[in-house]
Amino acid sequence: MPVTGRQGRVRAGRGAPGPRRGGSPGRLFSTLPPGWSLLRSPAVDEQKTDTGRYGEAAARHRPTDHRPTDHRPMGHRPRTHRSWATDHRSRAGARPAVPEHHRCPRSADRPRSAGTRTDVRTDTGVVTSLRAAAVGPEEHRHTPPAGRGAPRPPAPPDSPADRRPGVRHSPTRPRKAPMATTDIAPPASMSPLKAFILLGRFKFLFQSLLVVCMGVTAAQHDGADLDLGWAAGILLFAWVVHLMTHYCNEYFDLEADRANEAPTSWTGGSRILVRGLLPPIVSLGASFVLLFVAMFIAAAMPDTPSRLMAVTILVGAWFYTAPPLKFNYRALGEFICALTLYGLGPLLVFRLQAGPFSRTVAVCVAVIFCFQFLRMAVMNLADVDGDRRVGKITLAVRFGPRAVVRLFVFAQVLLYAVLVLIVALSAVPLLPGLALLATFPVPLWVGTRLWRGALADPRRANAVTFWSSMHMPATSVAVMVGLLADMFAGGDAPDTRWSVVCGASLAFFAVWFTRTVRRAAAEARRADG
């Protein structure tokens, strides 16, 4: 006997007869907006059992999960959701038996749809529904509709030759041809160790190696005794700071690198974080570890002036892109980079080997500092579009690319003219001065290409940034070789151990430089066709 509650209502249990809460489907459809009654299936009203209008059949199909009601029209509903009629009855308390043609199959069992479209005209417009049909693997699958409106059928391929299984081609938007450029991006997948090494951009460490060699050679030229221990210690300090700067820049320059649509092999970062091969926190963590190692080496230096110079280098290198100073975002990055690497760097090396600075080392360092400042202006010029998008204020962004090109060209000519005057006045020895003058073809070639707008072409931009970068190690090698030649010419040979170290460093750099030039030439030939 059915159990009754207050007001004589029947509490219908499993299989118990009696009306359910929510009334009949007719009453339910009467509360819907006009036009929705055309979408109602007559099979639902005809499904009755001898135990009641919705008795045991409803109990057998009672859903176990209570999903939220979706009031969107059928054309805007995901295909994996239950029918809207079932949702409204569930909200009203009814548990109808869902007909077979109303059930939504599981994703694994659902056949692929060829996009057969059926239009039903209602009082509120046209509702378009899709009926699934089993298709072969060569047909295109229908994708869910995006935005408002009826779903569109899949677009056919551009031509039968371009037709590929499972790929949609838009008939209105032409596909872009790949941009002709050198292969500067890392592969889509690689081992984490290789990605971490590429993230550090170890190829730039030749600059700090040759800076240290130049400083020790200048100390040997002034008659200082070789301190091989501190020569190795300052080389380690230079490499740690250089790598720390790279990893730090990769993290804090990530938005600028993402905005850079035309990076080169020497600008725009390593692209490791941009392509998602490593999480950004790896770069930040590595930079902090290297910062602590550099601070430990700086604290171990023998005197206070050396420690102050080392701390100044660390501050400039870390806050080159890191907040709150962010020198490279305030048109100070070119100056800070030149100061830390080619200004204070060789002076610190010279002080740890010989003490107070001599006129020769001061003049050579001043000239190379200016060269590095101009080189950094060109490197930032290659990234000017991406830097402007993210609000990174470099010299190229503040004054414009044309002003930077003019600055580079006229400043290079002026510097080499002053260098001729310095050699003529014997402010530096003859051989180091002539060796520096011999590097003039490199900035001449770079300045000529910049004046002709080479940065607009990706392949030519890669060559311009490469030779602009190579100008700096070339000047370091020129000073080092010139000082060694002057020492041998004067009969005062340097320490034998240092001669071996210098020879090995030069040979190592020559091998790397030759391979890099050959690789760049091969990539240029492949790009030409």
Side-chain angles (χ1 to χ4, degrees):
M1 181 175 181
V3 182
T4 60
R6 285 183 293 181
Q7 299 179 359
R9 293 184 178 178
V10 179
R11 296 180 183 176
R14 181 177 179 86
R20 287 263 182 188
R21 288 180 298 169
S24 64
R27 183 181 303 174
L28 172 64
F29 282 104
S30 65
T31 61
L32 295 178
W36 282 73
S37 58
L38 294 180
L39 300 179
R40 168 183 170 194
S41 175
V44 178
D45 291 337
E46 296 174 359
Q47 185 169 353
K48 300 179 182 180
T49 61
D50 52 358
T51 58
R53 188 175 181 87
Y54 299 100
E56 293 183 356
R60 286 196 302 270
H61 296 88
R62 183 174 300 163
T64 58
D65 56 334
H66 300 280
R67 302 179 183 178
T69 304
D70 196 341
H71 297 280
R72 293 175 293 177
M74 186 176 298
H76 295 269
R77 301 278 302 283
R79 292 177 58 83
T80 56
H81 206 283
R82 297 178 298 171
S83 66
W84 60 270
T86 305
D87 289 332
H88 278 280
R89 291 192 184 94
S90 299
R91 186 177 182 181
R95 309 284 184 184
V98 183
E100 187 65 28
H101 64 278
H102 274 210
R103 299 179 191 174
C104 182
R106 295 179 299 175
S107 298
D109 301 331
R110 188 187 306 119
R112 296 181 178 179
S113 173
T116 303
R117 199 168 78 171
T118 303
D119 294 339
V120 180
R121 293 194 174 272
T122 65
D123 296 339
T124 57
V126 178
V127 178
T128 303
S129 61
L130 293 173
R131 301 184 63 85
V135 298
E138 298 296 327
E139 296 292 338
H140 296 275
R141 290 184 295 175
H142 172 68
T143 56
R148 301 186 62 181
R152 295 174 296 179
D158 297 340
S159 65
D162 296 335
R163 186 185 181 103
R164 292 182 294 169
V167 178
R168 288 188 60 187
H169 301 289
S170 174
T172 58
R173 181 178 300 175
R175 288 169 290 177
K176 295 181 179 180
M179 184 176 61
T181 180
T182 54
D183 187 13
I184 61 173
S189 61
M190 63 175 63
S191 65
L193 178 59
K194 185 177 180 180
F196 183 78
I197 294 175
L198 292 179
L199 182 67
R201 292 179 288 170
F202 282 73
K203 60 186 178 183
F204 288 99
L205 296 185
F206 282 107
Q207 298 193 30
S208 51
L209 168 66
L210 295 176
V211 164
V212 172
C213 292
M214 180 182 66
V216 177
T217 304
Q220 289 283 294
H221 185 270
D222 282 7
D225 295 331
L226 176 64
D227 189 346
L228 199 58
W230 268 116
I234 195 60
L235 177 61
L236 178 62
F237 176 79
W239 276 350
V240 168
V241 174
H242 209 153
L243 285 176
M244 177 204 73
T245 307
H246 289 172
Y247 286 113
C248 181
N249 292 350
E250 289 286 332
Y251 180 81
F252 291 106
D253 256 355
L254 181 57
E255 293 303 319
D257 293 341
R258 285 173 177 167
N260 191 349
E261 298 177 354
T264 68
S265 299
W266 305 89
T267 61
S270 66
R271 319 303 292 179
I272 294 295
L273 300 184
V274 174
R275 296 175 66 89
L277 299 179
L278 285 177
I281 193 64
V282 173
S283 183
L284 183 63
S287 62
F288 270 111
V289 171
L290 294 171
L291 173 64
F292 295 144
V293 173
M295 292 174 62
F296 176 79
I297 299 175
M301 290 184 179
D303 55 1
T304 302
S306 300
R307 289 192 288 269
L308 289 177
M309 293 175 66
V311 170
T312 304
I313 292 174
L314 276 176
V315 171
W318 180 263
F319 292 108
Y320 178 72
T321 53
L325 300 181
K326 303 180 72 170
F327 292 118
N328 204 29
Y329 285 72
R330 294 176 170 84
L332 294 173
E334 296 84 355
F335 173 79
I336 293 297
C337 182
L339 178 66
T340 55
L341 183 55
Y342 284 95
L344 294 177
L347 293 180
L348 177 60
V349 176
F350 187 89
R351 180 169 184 84
L352 289 175
Q353 293 291 321
F357 312 130
S358 64
R359 183 181 61 183
T360 300
V361 68
V363 172
C364 292
V365 167
V367 172
I368 295 180
F369 166 83
C370 296
F371 286 152
Q372 172 67 1
F373 178 84
L374 297 176
R375 176 246 175 184
M376 287 305 302
V378 173
M379 304 300 277
N380 286 334
L381 178 60
D383 300 335
V384 62
D385 293 332
D387 294 343
R388 188 182 290 114
R389 292 189 186 99
V390 299
K392 182 178 179 180
I393 308 301
T394 61
L395 289 181
V397 174
R398 172 160 294 182
F399 300 106
R402 185 174 300 179
V404 172
V405 170
R406 291 174 179 173
L407 172 66
F408 180 85
V409 172
F410 292 116
Q412 289 285 356
V413 173
L414 179 62
L415 278 174
Y416 278 94
V418 171
L419 189 57
V420 171
L421 183 61
I422 290 174
V423 174
L425 296 177
S426 300
V428 295
L430 178 62
L431 293 179
L434 293 178
L436 277 175
L437 288 174
T439 62
F440 180 67
V442 178
L444 177 63
W445 186 91
V446 173
T448 303
R449 268 48 180 191
L450 288 175
W451 196 269
R452 297 175 181 174
L455 291 181
D457 180 20
R459 185 171 57 85
R460 296 169 63 196
N462 196 67
V464 169
T465 54
F466 168 73
W467 286 108
S468 179
S469 298
M470 290 302 102
H471 182 221
M472 298 315 302
T475 55
S476 301
V477 169
V479 171
M480 181 171 57
V481 171
L483 291 174
L484 289 174
D486 189 69
M487 293 173 65
F488 283 110
D492 187 11
D495 191 292
T496 306
R497 297 173 297 172
W498 185 244
S499 300
V500 173
V501 172
C502 285
S505 301
L506 291 175
F508 192 32
F509 173 71
V511 171
W512 174 85
F513 178 77
T514 304
R515 294 184 59 184
T516 304
V517 170
R518 289 179 178 176
R519 188 182 302 113
E523 291 176 353
R525 287 193 297 268
R526 286 198 300 268
D528 290 338

